[in-house]
mmCIF file of all heavy atoms in Angstrom:
data_model
loop_
_atom_site.group_PDB
_atom_site.id
_atom_site.type_symbol
_atom_site.label_atom_id
_atom_site.label_comp_id
_atom_site.label_asym_id
_atom_site.label_seq_id
_atom_site.Cartn_x
_atom_site.Cartn_y
_atom_site.Cartn_z
ATOM 1 N N THR G 208 0.783 -1.232 0.000
ATOM 2 C CA THR G 208 0.000 0.000 0.000
ATOM 3 C C THR G 208 0.815 1.282 0.000
ATOM 4 O O THR G 208 0.339 2.296 -0.496
ATOM 5 C CB THR G 208 -0.952 0.047 1.212
ATOM 6 O OG1 THR G 208 -0.183 -0.030 2.408
ATOM 7 C CG2 THR G 208 -1.959 -1.070 1.151
ATOM 8 N N VAL G 209 2.001 1.276 0.548
ATOM 9 C CA VAL G 209 2.809 2.494 0.569
ATOM 10 C C VAL G 209 3.297 2.771 -0.846
ATOM 11 O O VAL G 209 3.841 1.876 -1.497
ATOM 12 C CB VAL G 209 3.999 2.347 1.540
ATOM 13 C CG1 VAL G 209 4.928 3.537 1.444
ATOM 14 C CG2 VAL G 209 3.490 2.204 2.952
ATOM 15 N N PRO G 210 3.083 3.992 -1.363
ATOM 16 C CA PRO G 210 3.484 4.281 -2.739
ATOM 17 C C PRO G 210 4.988 4.136 -2.932
ATOM 18 O O PRO G 210 5.771 4.905 -2.403
ATOM 19 C CB PRO G 210 3.060 5.735 -2.946
ATOM 20 C CG PRO G 210 2.158 6.061 -1.830
ATOM 21 C CD PRO G 210 2.451 5.123 -0.719
ATOM 22 N N LYS G 211 5.367 3.100 -3.619
ATOM 23 C CA LYS G 211 6.761 2.863 -3.948
ATOM 24 C C LYS G 211 6.774 2.104 -5.258
ATOM 25 O O LYS G 211 5.917 1.277 -5.500
ATOM 26 C CB LYS G 211 7.434 2.058 -2.846
ATOM 27 C CG LYS G 211 8.922 1.976 -3.011
ATOM 28 C CD LYS G 211 9.593 1.616 -1.728
ATOM 29 C CE LYS G 211 11.090 1.696 -1.933
ATOM 30 N NZ LYS G 211 11.806 1.816 -0.716
ATOM 31 N N ASN G 212 7.727 2.379 -6.066
ATOM 32 C CA ASN G 212 7.765 1.758 -7.381
ATOM 33 C C ASN G 212 8.456 0.401 -7.306
ATOM 34 O O ASN G 212 9.662 0.297 -7.419
ATOM 35 C CB ASN G 212 8.496 2.672 -8.356
ATOM 36 C CG ASN G 212 8.400 2.187 -9.762
ATOM 37 O OD1 ASN G 212 7.891 1.103 -10.020
ATOM 38 N ND2 ASN G 212 8.874 2.979 -10.685
ATOM 39 N N TRP G 213 7.672 -0.663 -7.114
ATOM 40 C CA TRP G 213 8.199 -2.023 -7.031
ATOM 41 C C TRP G 213 8.081 -2.744 -8.365
ATOM 42 O O TRP G 213 8.182 -3.950 -8.421
ATOM 43 C CB TRP G 213 7.433 -2.842 -5.995
ATOM 44 C CG TRP G 213 7.571 -2.395 -4.581
ATOM 45 C CD1 TRP G 213 6.580 -1.915 -3.789
ATOM 46 C CD2 TRP G 213 8.752 -2.420 -3.764
ATOM 47 N NE1 TRP G 213 7.059 -1.630 -2.541
ATOM 48 C CE2 TRP G 213 8.390 -1.932 -2.496
ATOM 49 C CE3 TRP G 213 10.065 -2.795 -3.995
ATOM 50 C CZ2 TRP G 213 9.306 -1.814 -1.455
ATOM 51 C CZ3 TRP G 213 10.975 -2.675 -2.956
ATOM 52 C CH2 TRP G 213 10.589 -2.191 -1.710
ATOM 53 N N ARG G 214 7.815 -2.033 -9.463
ATOM 54 C CA ARG G 214 7.475 -2.672 -10.738
ATOM 55 C C ARG G 214 8.405 -3.800 -11.144
ATOM 56 O O ARG G 214 7.953 -4.862 -11.526
ATOM 57 C CB ARG G 214 7.426 -1.654 -11.854
ATOM 58 C CG ARG G 214 6.108 -0.953 -11.910
ATOM 59 C CD ARG G 214 6.102 -0.016 -13.043
ATOM 60 N NE ARG G 214 6.859 1.160 -12.662
ATOM 61 C CZ ARG G 214 6.803 2.313 -13.254
ATOM 62 N NH1 ARG G 214 6.049 2.460 -14.296
ATOM 63 N NH2 ARG G 214 7.490 3.334 -12.830
ATOM 64 N N SER G 215 9.686 -3.607 -11.096
ATOM 65 C CA SER G 215 10.589 -4.636 -11.601
ATOM 66 C C SER G 215 11.254 -5.442 -10.488
ATOM 67 O O SER G 215 12.070 -6.310 -10.765
ATOM 68 C CB SER G 215 11.661 -3.998 -12.482
ATOM 69 O OG SER G 215 12.416 -3.086 -11.712
ATOM 70 N N ALA G 216 10.920 -5.167 -9.246
ATOM 71 C CA ALA G 216 11.559 -5.859 -8.124
ATOM 72 C C ALA G 216 10.821 -7.159 -7.795
ATOM 73 O O ALA G 216 9.597 -7.189 -7.796
ATOM 74 C CB ALA G 216 11.577 -4.965 -6.900
ATOM 75 N N PRO G 217 11.559 -8.219 -7.507
ATOM 76 C CA PRO G 217 10.905 -9.448 -7.058
ATOM 77 C C PRO G 217 10.397 -9.286 -5.625
ATOM 78 O O PRO G 217 10.827 -8.375 -4.902
ATOM 79 C CB PRO G 217 12.011 -10.496 -7.139
ATOM 80 C CG PRO G 217 13.288 -9.729 -7.091
ATOM 81 C CD PRO G 217 12.998 -8.371 -7.667
ATOM 82 N N ILE G 218 9.517 -10.170 -5.214
ATOM 83 C CA ILE G 218 8.950 -10.101 -3.860
ATOM 84 C C ILE G 218 10.062 -10.165 -2.816
ATOM 85 O O ILE G 218 10.022 -9.459 -1.819
ATOM 86 C CB ILE G 218 7.917 -11.220 -3.633
ATOM 87 C CG1 ILE G 218 6.657 -10.933 -4.436
ATOM 88 C CG2 ILE G 218 7.567 -11.351 -2.161
ATOM 89 C CD1 ILE G 218 5.580 -11.993 -4.310
ATOM 90 N N ALA G 219 11.059 -11.003 -3.049
ATOM 91 C CA ALA G 219 12.148 -11.153 -2.073
ATOM 92 C C ALA G 219 12.849 -9.823 -1.806
ATOM 93 O O ALA G 219 13.137 -9.486 -0.654
ATOM 94 C CB ALA G 219 13.156 -12.189 -2.578
ATOM 95 N N GLU G 220 13.103 -9.063 -2.848
ATOM 96 C CA GLU G 220 13.770 -7.771 -2.675
ATOM 97 C C GLU G 220 12.871 -6.788 -1.946
ATOM 98 O O GLU G 220 13.325 -6.061 -1.051
ATOM 99 C CB GLU G 220 14.169 -7.207 -4.033
ATOM 100 C CG GLU G 220 14.918 -5.900 -3.942
ATOM 101 C CD GLU G 220 15.293 -5.345 -5.304
ATOM 102 O OE1 GLU G 220 15.296 -6.096 -6.284
ATOM 103 O OE2 GLU G 220 15.580 -4.136 -5.366
ATOM 104 N N ALA G 221 11.602 -6.757 -2.300
ATOM 105 C CA ALA G 221 10.664 -5.841 -1.640
ATOM 106 C C ALA G 221 10.556 -6.151 -0.153
ATOM 107 O O ALA G 221 10.542 -5.250 0.684
ATOM 108 C CB ALA G 221 9.289 -5.927 -2.305
ATOM 109 N N VAL G 222 10.495 -7.438 0.182
ATOM 110 C CA VAL G 222 10.395 -7.841 1.587
ATOM 111 C C VAL G 222 11.670 -7.469 2.336
ATOM 112 O O VAL G 222 11.625 -6.902 3.433
ATOM 113 C CB VAL G 222 10.103 -9.351 1.697
ATOM 114 C CG1 VAL G 222 10.285 -9.843 3.121
ATOM 115 C CG2 VAL G 222 8.699 -9.657 1.200
ATOM 116 N N GLU G 223 12.814 -7.767 1.749
ATOM 117 C CA GLU G 223 14.093 -7.476 2.406
ATOM 118 C C GLU G 223 14.264 -5.980 2.652
ATOM 119 O O GLU G 223 14.605 -5.553 3.758
ATOM 120 C CB GLU G 223 15.251 -8.009 1.549
ATOM 121 C CG GLU G 223 16.607 -7.799 2.155
ATOM 122 C CD GLU G 223 16.855 -8.646 3.392
ATOM 123 O OE1 GLU G 223 16.209 -9.691 3.552
ATOM 124 O OE2 GLU G 223 17.707 -8.239 4.207
ATOM 125 N N VAL G 224 13.993 -5.167 1.641
ATOM 126 C CA VAL G 224 14.148 -3.716 1.776
ATOM 127 C C VAL G 224 13.184 -3.167 2.818
ATOM 128 O O VAL G 224 13.557 -2.359 3.677
ATOM 129 C CB VAL G 224 13.938 -3.022 0.407
ATOM 130 C CG1 VAL G 224 13.787 -1.518 0.561
ATOM 131 C CG2 VAL G 224 15.077 -3.352 -0.529
ATOM 132 N N THR G 225 11.939 -3.617 2.771
ATOM 133 C CA THR G 225 10.937 -3.118 3.714
ATOM 134 C C THR G 225 11.273 -3.524 5.139
ATOM 135 O O THR G 225 11.176 -2.709 6.067
ATOM 136 C CB THR G 225 9.539 -3.624 3.318
ATOM 137 O OG1 THR G 225 9.259 -3.173 1.993
ATOM 138 C CG2 THR G 225 8.482 -3.096 4.271
ATOM 139 N N MET G 226 11.664 -4.773 5.337
ATOM 140 C CA MET G 226 12.042 -5.221 6.690
ATOM 141 C C MET G 226 13.207 -4.394 7.221
ATOM 142 O O MET G 226 13.167 -3.929 8.363
ATOM 143 C CB MET G 226 12.417 -6.703 6.679
ATOM 144 C CG MET G 226 11.271 -7.634 6.693
ATOM 145 S SD MET G 226 11.909 -9.316 6.850
ATOM 146 C CE MET G 226 10.387 -10.198 7.027
ATOM 147 N N GLN G 227 14.235 -4.237 6.401
ATOM 148 C CA GLN G 227 15.407 -3.466 6.834
ATOM 149 C C GLN G 227 15.008 -2.043 7.228
ATOM 150 O O GLN G 227 15.388 -1.560 8.291
ATOM 151 C CB GLN G 227 16.437 -3.414 5.699
ATOM 152 C CG GLN G 227 17.101 -4.719 5.383
ATOM 153 C CD GLN G 227 18.300 -4.982 6.251
ATOM 154 O OE1 GLN G 227 18.945 -4.062 6.767
ATOM 155 N NE2 GLN G 227 18.602 -6.247 6.427
ATOM 156 N N ASN G 228 14.223 -1.389 6.365
ATOM 157 C CA ASN G 228 13.846 0.007 6.639
ATOM 158 C C ASN G 228 12.982 0.139 7.883
ATOM 159 O O ASN G 228 13.229 1.004 8.732
ATOM 160 C CB ASN G 228 13.110 0.598 5.430
ATOM 161 C CG ASN G 228 14.026 0.852 4.271
ATOM 162 O OD1 ASN G 228 15.238 0.927 4.421
ATOM 163 N ND2 ASN G 228 13.449 0.973 3.096
ATOM 164 N N GLU G 229 11.950 -0.694 7.978
ATOM 165 C CA GLU G 229 11.039 -0.583 9.119
ATOM 166 C C GLU G 229 11.745 -0.903 10.428
ATOM 167 O O GLU G 229 11.587 -0.195 11.427
ATOM 168 C CB GLU G 229 9.827 -1.494 8.926
ATOM 169 C CG GLU G 229 8.947 -1.094 7.767
ATOM 170 C CD GLU G 229 8.369 0.298 7.919
ATOM 171 O OE1 GLU G 229 7.957 0.662 9.036
ATOM 172 O OE2 GLU G 229 8.333 1.031 6.910
ATOM 173 N N LEU G 230 12.530 -1.959 10.457
ATOM 174 C CA LEU G 230 13.240 -2.323 11.688
ATOM 175 C C LEU G 230 14.288 -1.276 12.042
ATOM 176 O O LEU G 230 14.471 -0.948 13.212
ATOM 177 C CB LEU G 230 13.886 -3.709 11.537
ATOM 178 C CG LEU G 230 12.914 -4.873 11.390
ATOM 179 C CD1 LEU G 230 13.680 -6.165 11.139
ATOM 180 C CD2 LEU G 230 12.022 -5.005 12.606
ATOM 181 N N ARG G 231 14.964 -0.735 11.038
ATOM 182 C CA ARG G 231 15.986 0.277 11.296
ATOM 183 C C ARG G 231 15.378 1.496 11.986
ATOM 184 O O ARG G 231 15.931 2.014 12.959
ATOM 185 C CB ARG G 231 16.638 0.703 9.976
ATOM 186 C CG ARG G 231 17.706 1.766 10.159
ATOM 187 C CD ARG G 231 18.305 2.242 8.839
ATOM 188 N NE ARG G 231 18.841 1.154 8.062
ATOM 189 C CZ ARG G 231 18.380 0.795 6.856
ATOM 190 N NH1 ARG G 231 17.385 1.459 6.294
ATOM 191 N NH2 ARG G 231 18.925 -0.194 6.211
ATOM 192 N N HIS G 232 14.229 1.922 11.501
ATOM 193 C CA HIS G 232 13.631 3.144 12.051
ATOM 194 C C HIS G 232 12.862 2.908 13.344
ATOM 195 O O HIS G 232 12.778 3.792 14.185
ATOM 196 C CB HIS G 232 12.709 3.797 11.021
ATOM 197 C CG HIS G 232 13.463 4.428 9.890
ATOM 198 N ND1 HIS G 232 14.132 5.617 10.004
ATOM 199 C CD2 HIS G 232 13.678 4.004 8.620
ATOM 200 C CE1 HIS G 232 14.717 5.910 8.863
ATOM 201 N NE2 HIS G 232 14.459 4.953 8.005
ATOM 202 N N GLN G 233 12.297 1.722 13.520
ATOM 203 C CA GLN G 233 11.441 1.502 14.678
ATOM 204 C C GLN G 233 12.132 0.810 15.853
ATOM 205 O O GLN G 233 11.724 1.015 16.994
ATOM 206 C CB GLN G 233 10.207 0.698 14.258
ATOM 207 C CG GLN G 233 9.324 1.470 13.317
ATOM 208 C CD GLN G 233 8.080 0.716 12.921
ATOM 209 O OE1 GLN G 233 7.749 -0.303 13.514
ATOM 210 N NE2 GLN G 233 7.382 1.209 11.923
ATOM 211 N N LEU G 234 13.135 -0.011 15.597
ATOM 212 C CA LEU G 234 13.708 -0.810 16.676
ATOM 213 C C LEU G 234 15.178 -0.521 16.973
ATOM 214 O O LEU G 234 15.800 -1.246 17.727
ATOM 215 C CB LEU G 234 13.538 -2.306 16.356
ATOM 216 C CG LEU G 234 12.086 -2.775 16.207
ATOM 217 C CD1 LEU G 234 12.043 -4.237 15.835
ATOM 218 C CD2 LEU G 234 11.312 -2.528 17.483
#
């Protein structure tokens, strides 16, 4: 749902990037 251009990225990359970003900022 967050506007980000994932058009050519595989699910694995999207999950890895999102996990890294969210955990970095929140924990």
Side-chain angles (χ1 to χ4, degrees):
T208 59
V209 173
K211 190 160 186 160
N212 188 353
W213 295 116
R214 277 182 283 198
S215 61
I218 289 179
E220 182 181 341
V222 168
E223 182 69 24
V224 167
T225 301
M226 280 186 174
Q227 291 274 334
N228 288 341
E229 294 299 319
L230 294 176
R231 179 183 304 117
H232 288 284
Q233 294 182 12
L234 299 177

